[in-house]
């Protein structure tokens, strides 16, 4: 999901924000400042003690583990959809990891770079069973709860226009407000990224009475962003995400990573910083990838505990399975 306004004026501030290396600034202050959702179960959500969890949160922690050797050295900044790009452009945050869709417009006009795909998603619809529909094609004339300033708005308009259907948009500023509006009966349908629908369903007063319709109407590759102009930082974030994916492919996990130090497998030796380019190319310690897996886990661990079968959401891996297991999750090799 993402803001659609171009924020082109602020994009120019990205260059000044990068006058000093982001890595140097992070090391100097001793923590990473990471922009996340204001509260989306499975992706970024604080508990009653202020401890953040979620897939997007774990991406932030992976970068902290790689750069500072400590995954807990992160200061999380909750941001709305409208605030997120401005916060990164202005230098308020070092990294944006907030269920944000990678699009041409954002890549080309905001002065920002996507550092990879952390979750392949798609926009869907949720209705109450009492509405009596089983397909999005039956929603003509419905009132639809939607979050403002997102690609979801554009996708919704396109879908209904192409289907020759009409709808009444009921717009809210945050995803939590969207869920509350749907729960209170202010609309017939709630639309968002499908993963977000499963997460928001947990917040309804009667979750069992809501169903997600089968249609997926868009591609929503979600991933972390950094400012343009700092290639070193871009590479660090990109390879921190890639490290978690490669670790799962290599069979490396938080439970066995220490025992793998004696491995003779050249791919594992390169991953652990015992051979190859190690960490010098990004000005990191040689064990940066080991730190990520030891402290945060591989991609499969992160997925499972936050949104998968070990979580309340119980989302199937689907497209987010490794390429070798029928999915499209794939990372460049450590070579």
């Amino acid at each position: 999901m993402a803001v659609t306004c171009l924020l082109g004026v602020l994009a120019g501030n990205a260059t000044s924000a990068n006058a000093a290396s982001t890595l140097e600034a992070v090391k100097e202050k001793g923590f990473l400042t990471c922009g996340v959702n204001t509260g989306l179960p499975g992706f970024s959500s604080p508990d009653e003690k202020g401890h953040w969890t979620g897939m997007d949160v774990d991406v932030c922690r992976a970068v902290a583990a790689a750069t500072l050797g400590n995954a807990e050295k992160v200061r999380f900044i909750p941001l709305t959809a409208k605030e997120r790009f401005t916060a990164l452009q202005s230098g308020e945050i070092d990294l944006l990891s907030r269920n944000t869709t990678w699009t041409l417009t954002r890549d080309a006009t905001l002065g920002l770079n996507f550092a990879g795909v952390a979750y392949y998603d798609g926009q869907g619809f949720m209705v109450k069973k009492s509405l009596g529909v089983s397909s999005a094609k039956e929603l003509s004339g419905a009132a639809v709860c939607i979050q403002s300033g997102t690609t979801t708005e554009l996708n919704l308009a396109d879908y209904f226009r192409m289907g020759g259907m009409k709808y009444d948009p009921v717009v809210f500023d945050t995803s939590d407000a969207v869920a509350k509006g749907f729960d209170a009966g202010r609309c017939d349908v709630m639309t968002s990224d499908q993963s977000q629908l499963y997460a928001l369903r947990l917040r309804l007063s009667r979750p069992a009475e809501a169903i997600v319709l089968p249609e997926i109407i868009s591609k929503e590759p979600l991933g972390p962003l950094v400012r343009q102009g700092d290639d070193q930082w871009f590479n660090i974030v990109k390879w921190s995400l890639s490290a978690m994916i490669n670790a799962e492919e290599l069979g490396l996990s938080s439970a066995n990573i220490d025992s793998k130090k004696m491995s003779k497998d050249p791919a594992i030796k390169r991953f652990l910083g015992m051979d190859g380019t190690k960490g010098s190319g990004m000005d990191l310690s040689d064990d940066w990838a080991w730190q990520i897996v030891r402290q945060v886990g591989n991609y499969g661990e992160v997925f499972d505990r936050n949104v998968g079968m070990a979580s309340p959401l119980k989302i199937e891996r689907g497209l987010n399975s490794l390429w070798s297991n029928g999915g499209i999750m794939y990372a460049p090799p450590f070579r």
Side-chain angles (χ1 to χ4, degrees):
M1 183 183 297
V3 173
T4 55
C5 59
L6 297 187
L7 300 178
V9 175
L10 288 170
N13 292 340
T15 302
S16 60
N18 288 332
S21 161
T22 305
L23 177 61
E24 291 175 358
V26 167
K27 287 183 174 180
E28 182 176 350
K29 63 186 178 182
F31 60 88
L32 172 73
T33 306
C34 196
V36 294
N37 198 298
T38 53
L40 180 63
F43 288 86
S44 53
S45 183
D47 61 19
E48 62 279 359
K49 296 182 180 179
H51 179 73
W52 288 83
T53 59
M55 285 199 69
D56 288 339
V57 166
D58 280 343
V59 170
C60 302
R61 290 204 168 104
V63 175
T67 56
L68 300 170
N70 188 336
E72 297 304 312
K73 290 188 176 181
V74 185
R75 181 171 296 175
F76 295 103
I77 307 297
L79 300 167
T80 66
K82 291 182 177 180
E83 296 169 336
R84 56 185 161 178
F85 298 131
T86 306
L88 183 57
Q89 291 166 333
S90 67
E92 178 186 350
I93 56 176
D94 306 309
L95 166 65
L96 178 64
S97 183
R98 189 205 173 281
N99 60 299
T100 301
T101 304
W102 189 348
T103 70
L104 169 63
T105 298
R106 291 171 181 159
D107 234 6
T109 65
L110 299 181
L112 307 175
N113 280 330
F114 282 83
V117 178
Y119 190 97
Y120 289 98
D121 210 343
Q123 185 173 331
F125 299 92
M126 179 181 290
V127 299
K128 293 177 181 177
K129 294 178 181 178
S130 58
L131 190 63
V133 302
S134 59
S135 170
K137 296 177 182 179
E138 303 172 50
L139 296 177
S140 185
V144 183
C145 284
I146 191 170
Q147 186 175 356
S148 63
T150 64
T151 54
T152 307
E153 285 187 295
L154 300 178
N155 296 334
L156 179 67
D158 288 347
Y159 180 76
F160 273 76
R161 184 184 307 112
M162 292 300 295
M165 300 186 294
K166 296 182 179 180
Y167 70 99
D168 180 21
V170 183
V171 183
F172 299 90
D173 287 335
T174 67
S175 59
D176 190 50
V178 171
K180 289 180 179 178
F182 175 74
D183 203 24
R186 294 188 59 186
C187 57
D188 306 303
V189 189
M190 176 166 60
T191 185
S192 186
D193 296 347
Q194 196 171 69
S195 64
Q196 189 165 0
L197 293 177
Y198 283 107
L200 294 176
R201 182 164 64 176
L202 298 177
R203 296 184 172 180
L204 301 180
S205 57
R206 295 180 177 85
E209 295 183 6
I211 59 172
V212 177
L213 299 178
E215 286 85 359
I216 299 294
I217 67 169
S218 70
K219 295 186 295 184
E220 306 293 334
L222 311 178
L225 296 87
V226 297
R227 290 180 292 275
Q228 289 180 1
D230 189 340
D231 289 347
Q232 179 191 50
W233 187 245
F234 174 62
N235 282 336
I236 288 171
V237 176
K238 174 175 59 181
W239 281 98
S240 293
L241 175 58
S242 294
M244 292 192 287
I245 299 169
N246 273 298
E248 183 181 10
E249 184 176 342
L250 291 170
L252 302 174
S253 69
S254 58
N256 69 19
I257 190 72
D258 287 333
S259 67
K260 296 294 184 177
K261 288 185 175 181
M262 301 304 293
S263 174
K264 302 298 183 182
D265 186 330
I268 291 178
K269 292 180 69 174
R270 288 193 296 271
F271 186 92
L272 296 178
M274 302 166 63
D275 199 0
T277 57
K278 303 182 179 181
S280 59
M282 296 185 291
D283 198 20
L284 300 177
S285 63
D286 290 343
D287 67 352
W288 66 272
W290 172 79
Q291 293 284 2
I292 290 175
V293 178
R294 184 176 68 87
Q295 298 183 49
V296 183
N298 66 35
Y299 182 83
E301 291 178 276
V302 169
F303 187 100
D304 195 44
R305 69 169 174 256
N306 288 306
V307 300
M309 292 301 115
S311 77
L313 275 67
K314 300 192 181 305
I315 298 174
E316 298 283 350
R317 283 288 291 268
L319 293 178
N320 294 294
S321 296
L322 293 178
W323 64 279
S324 54
N325 291 330
I328 59 175
M329 188 54 69
Y330 188 98
F334 275 57
R335 182 175 287 280

